[in-house]
Amino acid sequence: MPYVTVEMLEGRTDDQKKALIEKVTDAVVDTTGASREKVVVFVEEINKNHYGVGGKRLID
């Protein structure tokens, strides 16, 4: 049973997340031969307050 975790900054719509889950599932099925019903995709959204680049938070 393949498990895939996608971490990304918050702000995507539900439709975008739905499409992402569908396409990631397709990619796993196509490349591993796993059955579609066994592929698990987790979408973890990172709060922009908790993410920084170059010593600064993205929201600053």
Side-chain angles (χ1 to χ4, degrees):
M1 182 177 298
Y3 291 88
V4 178
T5 302
V6 178
E7 294 182 7
M8 63 184 183
L9 292 175
E10 64 188 353
R12 277 36 175 236
T13 67
D14 284 340
D15 286 340
Q16 288 172 317
K17 289 181 269 189
K18 180 181 175 183
L20 176 65
I21 290 169
E22 290 172 0
K23 289 183 182 277
V24 168
T25 300
D26 290 342
V28 172
V29 169
D30 291 345
T31 58
T32 69
S35 67
R36 185 171 201 78
E37 297 76 25
K38 300 288 185 180
V39 177
V40 178
V41 179
F42 298 99
V43 176
E44 295 183 2
E45 291 186 296
I46 301 168
N47 184 302
K48 291 179 183 177
N49 290 331
H50 303 155
Y51 190 87
V53 176
K56 295 184 180 181
R57 293 184 310 167
L58 290 182
I59 63 163
D60 293 335

